Amino acid sequence: MARFTLPRDLYHGKGALEALKSFEGKRAMICVGGGSMKRFGFLDKAVDYLKEAGMEVQIFDGIEPDPSVETVMRGADAMLKFEPDWIIAMGGGSPIDAAKAMWIKYEYPEVTFEDMCKVFGLPKLRKKARFCAISSTSGTATEVTAFSIITDYSKGIKYPIADFEITPDVAIVDPDLAETMPKKLVAHTGMDAMTHAIEAYVSTANCDYTDPLALYAIKMIQNDLVDSYNGDLAKRDSMHNAQCLAGMAFSNALLGIVHSMAHKTGAAFADYGAHIIHGAANAMYLPKVIAFNAKDATAAARYAKIADYMNLGGETTEEKVSLLIAALRKMNDELNIPHCIKNYGADSYPTEQGFVPENVFLERLHDIAVNALGDACTGSNPRQPSVEEMEKLLKCCYYDTEVDF
């Protein structure tokens, strides 16, 4: 038996934020990030709508990119004092992911972060509060997913929390919010969404319910992402829907080792002054992982179907897989995303020598590989790598060399 879970309600289209006026409750806590929602007026709108619904509103702001365990604990403590019956998470993936983890700790104060990370092992939520997610970026789709990514900076590792319990009750997908994204964020979140859709389609947990969502999202992203990056706001609006469809697919079909590797490399070199931004990591690693997974015949056939759906041409499965890889690398070029860690600058743009020194990468390679294999996303990858193969794959992602194993 399999399961397919989505939010109870999804409000979409321009002006969808107004749905907050219909919420019923006494107290709402809004969790937001670094200020863009306030700067563009969306936070004030949300507060006004909730007050119009008769609620007392408190704001928990300043949630950082790649939110930490410490931020989660502070937010949960604020919730325990305020006792909201609605948690409203607003912004990019980071505040929504953080708020999901805060929600767990609010409902079960005795739960540790380690307990939260037990895959599909959470107790029942919604005893104290319901959860609404309002996304301002077009990539993570965390507004419709059963996942949250929290960083333990003491270990330099991003941990996925995975459980259908943290699927939001309500998702608001309002493209007005996404129109405020800076150009670099459009690129990174867009390739994150493409990775979600492709990994969901080839995942060992794919099914008839997830495949149409994944394929349609891939086609939309192919058609809309580069134009959105170059300033086409109609395509920007379309990408907000595309990333949400990809999220619906991967939340139920799960992901693969592109995400495992991105999670475990993202903060692994933070002591050198930067992170490898999640969407950019996915964009760099996806072509290499496709080449690795395509050694499995079932996965190769699925990648070929994606290539057909994208109208890339090719006669044989091998040709179609190669054309898919080439198309994704071309998108990276058009989005100014590097092809490998070696050329990944601290600002995320391509450079001759990136911020991760070769000797440091090689010193940490084994531990990163072991951690990636232990990631929650690895189990549904169509080809299970050994530690040695994961190390070799990560080297290909560092040097941009061919995957021939």
Side-chain angles (χ1 to χ4, degrees):
M1 180 176 70
R3 178 174 173 179
F4 186 85
T5 300
L6 295 175
R8 167 70 172 77
D9 292 299
L10 192 154
Y11 298 94
H12 59 95
K14 283 183 171 294
L17 189 63
E18 195 172 342
L20 292 172
K21 290 198 297 190
S22 66
F23 284 24
E24 296 179 358
K26 294 180 179 179
R27 286 179 295 277
M29 178 171 280
I30 303 179
C31 301
V32 292
S36 65
M37 290 298 93
K38 184 169 187 176
R39 195 162 58 250
F40 293 108
F42 295 114
L43 178 58
D44 288 342
K45 277 188 179 181
V47 170
D48 290 343
Y49 289 146
L50 290 165
K51 286 183 176 177
E52 192 174 332
M55 284 192 242
E56 182 184 352
V57 181
Q58 188 175 105
I59 295 168
F60 182 89
D61 59 6
I63 297 170
E64 73 273 35
D66 303 305
S68 66
V69 177
E70 290 75 20
T71 295
V72 168
M73 298 307 164
R74 281 195 301 106
D77 187 56
M79 289 176 186
L80 286 163
K81 290 172 183 170
F82 183 61
E83 298 184 338
D85 45 21
W86 273 103
I87 298 166
I88 314 292
M90 188 175 191
S94 294
I96 298 174
D97 280 2
K100 285 180 177 180
M102 293 171 192
W103 183 25
I104 301 166
K105 186 73 174 174
Y106 169 50
E107 300 237 355
Y108 294 94
E110 72 282 0
V111 165
T112 66
F113 180 65
E114 289 71 24
D115 292 333
M116 293 184 197
C117 294
K118 293 173 183 173
V119 179
F120 294 97
L122 292 178
K124 294 286 183 185
L125 299 180
R126 297 165 181 82
K127 298 184 186 299
K128 293 181 180 179
R130 286 181 288 170
F131 193 99
C132 171
I134 308 166
S135 179
S136 66
T137 61
S138 302
T140 67
T142 190
E143 73 273 10
V144 293
T145 75
F147 297 94
S148 164
I149 308 298
I150 305 298
T151 302
D152 184 336
Y153 284 91
S154 68
K155 297 178 181 176
I157 294 175
K158 295 183 179 184
Y159 288 97
I161 300 171
D163 199 291
F164 288 120
E165 282 299 312
I166 60 171
T167 303
D169 297 284
V170 178
I172 295 178
V173 184
D174 188 332
D176 286 342
L177 279 69
E179 289 182 5
T180 66
M181 283 192 295
K183 196 169 183 177
K184 183 161 67 173
L185 192 59
V186 172
H188 295 160
T189 56
M191 288 308 293
D192 191 18
M194 179 65 97
T195 306
H196 290 156
I198 291 175
E199 289 211 292
Y201 191 71
V202 301
S203 159
T204 56
N206 74 75
C207 68
D208 290 343
Y209 295 89
T210 58
D211 282 353
L213 293 165
L215 284 175
Y216 197 71
I218 289 166
K219 188 67 175 177
M220 288 180 74
I221 296 165
Q222 178 193 18
N223 290 339
D224 298 337
L225 175 55
V226 173
D227 287 341
S228 170
Y229 176 75
N230 289 322
D232 186 326
L233 291 184
K235 295 293 183 78
R236 182 82 51 92
D237 293 353
S238 180
M239 273 299 302
H240 211 43
N241 289 333
Q243 64 88 30
C244 190
L245 295 175
M248 293 178 186
F250 91 77
S251 186
N252 291 278
L254 308 180
L255 292 165
I257 59 172
V258 178
H259 273 77
S260 303
M261 294 157 65
H263 292 155
K264 289 350 185 205
T265 54
F269 309 101
D271 52 332
Y272 281 80
H275 280 214
I276 301 176
I277 296 170
H278 179 71
N282 283 337
M284 292 189 296
Y285 305 164
L286 179 59
K288 304 302 183 190
V289 170
I290 290 174
F292 175 79
N293 284 342
K295 304 295 190 290
D296 173 87
T298 302
R302 292 221 131 215
Y303 288 129
K305 284 185 180 178
I306 291 172
D308 287 341
Y309 200 72
M310 293 173 71
N311 296 315
L312 298 179
E315 296 296 325
T316 66
T317 295
E318 187 176 352
E319 286 176 356
K320 291 174 183 181
V321 172
S322 294
L323 287 166
L324 174 60
I325 290 170
L328 293 168
R329 288 177 64 91
K330 181 172 182 286
M331 286 183 76
N332 286 347
D333 286 335
E334 292 173 320
L335 298 168
N336 209 14
I337 296 173
H339 290 298
C340 63
I341 299 170
K342 180 175 178 287
N343 299 132
Y344 183 93
D347 59 0
S348 85
Y349 291 124
T351 184
E352 189 67 30
Q353 179 54 59
F355 82 94
V356 181
E358 181 180 24
N359 64 310
V360 174
F361 172 79
L362 293 173
E363 284 168 8
R364 300 180 186 183
L365 175 61
H366 177 74
D367 287 347
I368 292 170
V370 170
N371 289 330
L373 286 174
D375 189 88
C377 296
T378 299
S380 46
N381 194 69
R383 184 182 171 199
Q384 290 297 305
S386 64
V387 174
E388 182 186 10
E389 286 171 331
M390 180 59 81
E391 288 183 7
K392 289 170 71 174
L393 189 54
L394 284 161
K395 280 185 177 180
C396 291
C397 293
Y398 185 86
Y399 297 107
D400 191 21
T401 48
E402 186 180 350
V403 178
D404 57 1
F405 52 93

